[in-house]
Amino acid sequence: IFVTVGTQYPFDRLLAEVDAWAAVSGERVVAQVGGSNKEYENLETVGFIPTEEFESLLDEADLVVSHAGMGTIIACALRGKPLIVLPRRHRLGEHTDDHQVESAARMERFGLAKVVQESNEIIPYLTDWGSLASEGIGEQPTGEILESLREFAYRDQEAGKGRRGWIL
């Protein structure tokens, strides 16, 4: 199992829940913990990793658990990897706004992730992760998925914020 929380902010709420589960399950869990300063007894932790190593860990994983970072969601969708997502919450100081809630809901609608809203909701899916599946998007996404990804990628530009979106 590979857990990734991105590089911008710590996400100890997610990591603590998976760590507690790993203590009971005995499963091997590798976690990219970003800027977290906490110690996790049952996770093999790495802070920041190069893209090649990140992709290798994704390829090797049977299951991925993540925040609702679009890079991770898309990378898992391209690989057809089962993915559990816990969106970061602004009210908990985990992000600057709640855009991850919206992104996660949209990706779940496409069958690309199982989204949980609270950290304790992860446990049943970790315990029975074999029942999770991803429809994936293939190398050439089309239709509503492609339009949704474009909308997400260019939303800052359209809102007049001037930042460049991803090119899809």
Side-chain angles (χ1 to χ4, degrees):
I1 295 174
F2 178 49
V3 179
T4 177
V5 301
T7 59
Q8 290 183 321
Y9 304 99
F11 198 18
D12 294 315
R13 180 169 63 107
L14 171 62
L15 294 167
E17 198 70 37
V18 177
D19 185 56
W21 174 80
V24 174
S25 73
E27 288 281 340
R28 178 177 181 241
V29 180
V30 177
Q32 177 270 321
V33 300
S36 177
N37 294 322
K38 299 206 176 190
E39 297 288 325
Y40 295 99
E41 292 181 26
N42 307 292
L43 306 178
E44 295 174 30
T45 61
V46 293
F48 300 97
I49 54 178
T51 301
E52 298 81 23
E53 187 176 344
F54 178 83
E55 290 178 356
S56 177
L57 288 167
L58 280 179
D59 289 338
E60 294 172 18
D62 293 319
L63 171 69
V64 179
V65 180
S66 179
H67 68 131
M70 286 304 297
T72 300
I73 292 171
I74 292 169
C76 287
L78 288 168
R79 291 166 171 79
K81 291 285 179 178
L83 173 64
I84 301 170
V85 168
L86 175 65
R88 294 174 182 271
R89 298 292 184 153
H90 173 69
R91 68 179 162 78
L92 299 175
E94 297 167 342
H95 216 303
T96 57
D97 59 28
D98 278 330
H99 75 274
Q100 286 200 355
V101 176
E102 178 186 329
S103 299
R106 185 174 288 179
M107 295 303 110
E108 184 172 44
R109 196 173 78 236
F110 294 134
L112 302 178
K114 174 59 191 164
V115 177
V116 296
Q117 298 301 323
E118 300 299 331
S119 58
N120 63 354
E121 295 173 6
I122 295 172
I123 300 298
Y125 296 104
L126 287 171
T127 302
D128 188 28
W129 65 265
S131 66
L132 297 175
S134 172
E135 295 176 19
I137 59 175
E139 292 183 24
Q140 297 286 330
T142 60
E144 190 180 354
I145 290 176
L146 180 59
E147 290 308 310
S148 181
L149 292 173
R150 276 194 183 121
E151 180 183 313
F152 173 82
Y154 293 107
R155 72 177 184 201
D156 287 341
Q157 237 173 4
E158 292 169 7
K161 294 182 182 175
R163 291 188 294 184
R164 292 185 55 155
W166 298 338
I167 298 173
L168 300 176

